[in-house]
Amino acid sequence: MKIDYRREGELVLKNQIDIQLSTNRKEKPSFSNLKFGKTYTDHMFIMDYSREKGWYDPRIVPYQPITLDPAATIFHYGQTIFEGLKAYLSENEEVFLFRPDENIKRLNRSSVRMCIPEVDEELALEALKKLVAIDRDWVPNMEGMSLYIRPFIISTEPNLDVTPSQNYRFMIIMSPVGSFYKEGMDPVKIAVESDYVRAVRGGTGNAKTAGNYAGAMLVQEKASASGYSQVLWLDGNEKKYIEEVGSMNVFFKINGEVVTPELSGSILEGITRKSVIELLKYWGVPVSERRISIDELHEAYQKGQLEEAFGSGTAAVISPIGELFWNNEKMLINDGKTGDLSLKVYKTLTGIQTDKEEDPFGWRVKVD
Amino acid sequence: MKIDYRREGELVLKNQIDIQLSTNRKEKPSFSNLKFGKTYTDHMFIMDYSREKGWYDPRIVPYQPITLDPAATIFHYGQTIFEGLKAYLSENEEVFLFRPDENIKRLNRSSVRMCIPEVDEELALEALKKLVAIDRDWVPNMEGMSLYIRPFIISTEPNLDVTPSQNYRFMIIMSPVGSFYKEGMDPVKIAVESDYVRAVRGGTGNAKTAGNYAGAMLVQEKASASGYSQVLWLDGNEKKYIEEVGSMNVFFKINGEVVTPELSGSILEGITRKSVIELLKYWGVPVSERRISIDELHEAYQKGQLEEAFGSGTAAVISPIGELFWNNEKMLINDGKTGDLSLKVYKTLTGIQTDKEEDPFGWRVKVD
Ligand SMILES: Cc1ncc(COP(=O)(O)O)c(C=O)c1O
Ligand SMILES: Cc1ncc(COP(=O)(O)O)c(C=O)c1O
């Protein structure tokens, strides 16, 4: 840790996180009945940035509203990025994070794309762990549940000129979340989107930034109205190659081989995706990252070779896909049931996350 | 006006704008030395939205910070849109807006794309006019200057689920801006961007929404570092067809005909663009909206037929382009000087805006 600047005449360690505990703890909600992302814990992490000081004043404070100038550039030009990861409680009542270093690295990659200054990785990891430790009784102690952690950075300078902000705020907030699979794994129906586009090479698709999500809402709403839980995006250039699903990467088991779209620059580099690939390789299951067109997928389906399909992401971990709707045709996958491989991947990943299974990869990080 | 709902037991006119004047007026900055978008006037307009009430509580209050939950969706999923227009002072000290109804219509079009509820056009226009009237001594009384007006809507519901917000806030803030052309019209140098992409058909390019601007910053920074004031974007699908410049639409005079890219769905439908087209038609100057490739432009340049080029937008009105950099080649346009037609369009539009010229189109709207 570096001694870095003076605050009120005092020497301050740059990486020292100030802690101000809440004196007014909230009542915990009933964990068995949680809606995603509506309840927040007692504390949050904040750190500010200015051109002169760099990132400064890392601190944990009671969860509270923030105050900004209405001209802050976040409200106008959307310079912002975020991350999403989870803390899990084991049967021994220990708390674990899953590959948090990967989230912090991706946070910084997103920031570079959006002209936001990077954060110190070590400090960010320490902030994550400290915050979770302080609010550890918010990690639900029920099967399948977890504490969702949302680090994010917003640009705060009041300035209507379209130019990178001089000031930023890095925050971490947390929200306990219920199980995705209360009544067992239920494969989802997904609609292939052929008109609208989420992202294009040369755009911001591989950064976890607000605009990608705002642009997708209209399409998501249309899909929901037709009974589909999410959309499968095609590439923005030719509307031919498969990209990803709403907030998941996507995998297909075709004739014994697992295929997932390669990192083309327009999809998010999912940490669950990466873990699935590493796990499959570890098991000796053939897996490849490559371009895959919707036509190829349809052909495999017609030949009876499309054996399984699933999405991968922090929220659901693995989400089996039971039906794909494309070109007025419903492609039923594995009779609409969860495939064996999908289930095995799901069980192994959640097992590693919750300390039920061995972790040969060193993915689990304990919070003390 | 409709009587719409009760507030504290009272009947309230839905469209009645409450006014709370500032008792602590700011000192005006020196208008001759203004940086764009750094100084704000004494008041702002606010109106809130909830699913139950619709838009409610339109009010003008002293300019002040706003307070939001850190989980407000604006900070995470960027559901937001904005507008930009100006108020001008005439020689008779009257204040005028330029086609404000067009901005309000575009605001609503942007909102539809971003799943944001539309506002009542009449009320929004009244809010604009009232706010400008209240802060009318902020409209600079110097040649070429104006009061920049920024209406915008942000999503305010605390919710980490990626779904349209249930709550929004519509605000209008204002900022006096200096002249773009203090030392006369100075043509800009623009770099054609062949790697990064601003928008693609099916995306959000034709909505005035934050993500489009955040994504462009990295490229803009690179262009600035090489001495170019802005970039010229090509289409996201083939990187072949000309789209628009940073925050301007673009026009080329080729062999006597004026050409501007058609509204393809990925560029912003500029109000200055629309006005330029209408003006040229009124004058009988041939003008067409069509696809134009960078190759066609280059060919015209080589044949000596690229006579003028200019950008159009609220900020600069008309910005002559003196040089286009593409494929390692500098295309010098009209010897790097402002073209006759560019200048004539500029003078006429600014003349209409400031009541110096006749307004056969009814574009000028007086603020009482
Ligand atoms: C667009 C998008 N793709 C994929 C993912 C999956 O990424 P991860 O596995 O890191 O959660 C997410 C969600 O986090 C996402 O938002
Ligand atoms: C991307 C973009 N294109 C074009 C324009 C020009 O539009 P207008 O003439 O309405 O100002 C703007 C600015 O407003 C813009 O942001």
Side-chain angles (χ1 to χ4, degrees), chain B residues 106 198 208 213 244 246-249 268 270-273 312-314:
Chain B
R106 187 171 65 186
R198 176 187 171 272
K208 213 162 159 64
Y213 298 82
E244 59 184 323
S247 44
M248 295 191 289
N249 297 106
L268 193 77
I271 292 155
T272 320
R273 175 186 179 280
S312 74
T314 296

Side-chain angles (χ1 to χ4, degrees), chain B residues 69-356:
Chain B
D69 194 287
T73 67
I74 177 66
F75 297 134
H76 305 270
Y77 308 126
Q79 232 196 323
T80 175
I81 56 99
F82 68 95
E83 268 304 325
L85 70 163
K86 285 177 169 178
Y88 305 88
L89 199 71
S90 73
E91 280 173 7
N92 296 337
E93 303 268 306
E94 290 177 319
V95 175
F96 292 95
L97 300 172
F98 183 72
R99 311 190 80 175
D101 46 311
E102 292 286 343
N103 289 92
I104 293 165
K105 276 187 212 138
R106 187 171 65 186
L107 179 112
N108 275 340
R109 284 201 304 274
S110 295
S111 284
V112 169
R113 177 64 183 86
M114 307 312 290
C115 296
I116 295 173
E118 293 169 76
V119 297
D120 183 277
E121 291 183 16
E122 225 177 280
L123 172 63
L125 185 58
E126 198 191 323
L128 272 180
K129 285 187 184 171
K130 272 229 166 89
L131 185 63
V132 172
I134 287 173
D135 279 344
R136 70 171 283 147
D137 51 345
W138 283 88
V139 188
N141 57 359
M142 293 167 85
E143 176 75 23
M145 294 193 172
S146 55
L147 182 65
Y148 183 78
I149 307 170
R150 167 58 56 88
F152 64 108
I153 300 178
I154 55 175
S155 56
T156 55
E157 186 195 4
N159 184 7
L160 295 184
D161 204 8
V162 187
T163 181
S165 177
Q166 307 242 8
N167 301 92
Y168 299 88
R169 176 164 277 193
F170 176 37
M171 302 184 69
I172 308 175
I173 59 176
M174 307 196 296
S175 171
V177 294
S179 174
F180 249 75
Y181 299 116
K182 263 178 245 165
E183 286 121 48
M185 259 189 153
D186 198 13
V188 293
K189 292 180 187 184
I190 295 215
V192 180
E193 174 59 40
S194 310
D195 294 325
Y196 287 95
V197 166
R198 176 187 171 272
V200 65
R201 260 195 304 284
T204 59
N206 57 354
K208 213 162 159 64
T209 185
N212 298 335
Y213 298 82
M217 283 185 187
L218 186 67
V219 187
Q220 177 61 46
E221 289 292 282
K222 285 187 182 165
S224 303
S226 319
Y228 290 91
S229 73
Q230 297 207 35
V231 299
L232 180 68
W233 297 104
L234 300 180
D235 77 287
N237 296 75
E238 304 179 54
K239 290 191 191 140
K240 197 170 153 182
Y241 297 100
I242 291 171
E243 297 240 310
E244 59 184 323
V245 169
S247 44
M248 295 191 289
N249 297 106
V250 67
F251 289 81
F252 304 100
K253 185 165 163 249
I254 300 175
N255 204 16
E257 190 200 21
V258 179
V259 180
T260 191
E262 65 188 354
L263 299 173
S264 58
S266 53
I267 68 173
L268 193 77
E269 201 174 332
I271 292 155
T272 320
R273 175 186 179 280
K274 189 174 184 175
S275 307
V276 170
I277 293 169
E278 288 170 34
L279 195 60
L280 292 174
K281 285 188 177 160
Y282 181 77
W283 287 341
V285 176
V287 52
S288 70
E289 300 173 64
R290 63 169 172 87
R291 292 227 285 195
I292 172 168
S293 70
I294 184 71
D295 297 302
E296 179 190 341
L297 197 74
H298 184 245
E299 218 177 284
Y301 168 72
Q302 284 185 316
K303 287 195 203 147
Q305 297 182 338
L306 178 53
E307 297 155 355
E308 297 188 32
F310 60 87
S312 74
T314 296
V317 187
I318 295 298
S319 179
I321 299 171
E323 181 190 318
L324 268 180
F325 184 71
W326 178 64
N327 235 346
N328 288 315
E329 187 182 349
K330 290 182 184 185
M331 300 190 240
L332 198 69
I333 302 168
N334 194 38
D335 275 335
K337 298 200 200 81
T338 299
D340 291 341
L341 186 65
S342 310
L343 189 64
K344 188 176 168 196
V345 172
Y346 174 75
K347 288 211 161 150
T348 308
L349 284 181
T350 53
I352 293 175
Q353 286 161 346
T354 55
D355 198 26
K356 269 195 210 113

Side-chain angles (χ1 to χ4, degrees), chain A residues 84 103 106 198 208 213 244-249 268-273 312-315:
Chain A
N103 289 92
R106 187 172 64 186
R198 176 187 172 271
K208 214 162 159 61
Y213 298 82
E244 58 183 325
V245 169
S247 45
M248 296 192 289
N249 296 106
L268 193 76
E269 201 174 332
I271 292 155
T272 321
R273 175 186 180 279
S312 75
T314 295

Side-chain angles (χ1 to χ4, degrees), chain A residues 55-96:
Chain A
W55 286 108
Y56 67 97
D57 237 357
R59 58 203 188 271
I60 288 170
V61 297
Y63 189 93
Q64 62 194 278
I66 55 174
T67 296
L68 291 170
D69 194 287
T73 67
I74 177 65
F75 298 134
H76 305 270
Y77 309 126
Q79 233 197 322
T80 176
I81 56 99
F82 69 95
E83 267 306 324
L85 70 163
K86 284 177 170 178
Y88 304 89
L89 200 71
S90 74
E91 280 173 5
N92 296 336
E93 304 268 306
E94 290 178 318
V95 175
F96 292 96

Side-chain angles (χ1 to χ4, degrees), chain B residues 4-19:
Chain B
D4 215 70
Y5 64 94
R6 280 162 189 278
R7 191 174 53 199
E8 290 164 22
E10 230 186 325
L11 279 178
V12 173
L13 291 172
K14 183 168 185 188
N15 286 357
Q16 185 175 301
I17 299 173
D18 272 357
I19 296 176

Side-chain angles (χ1 to χ4, degrees), chain A residues 10-21:
Chain A
E10 231 186 324
L11 279 178
V12 173
L13 292 171
K14 183 170 185 187
N15 286 358
Q16 185 177 298
I17 299 173
D18 273 357
I19 296 176
Q20 181 204 335
L21 292 180

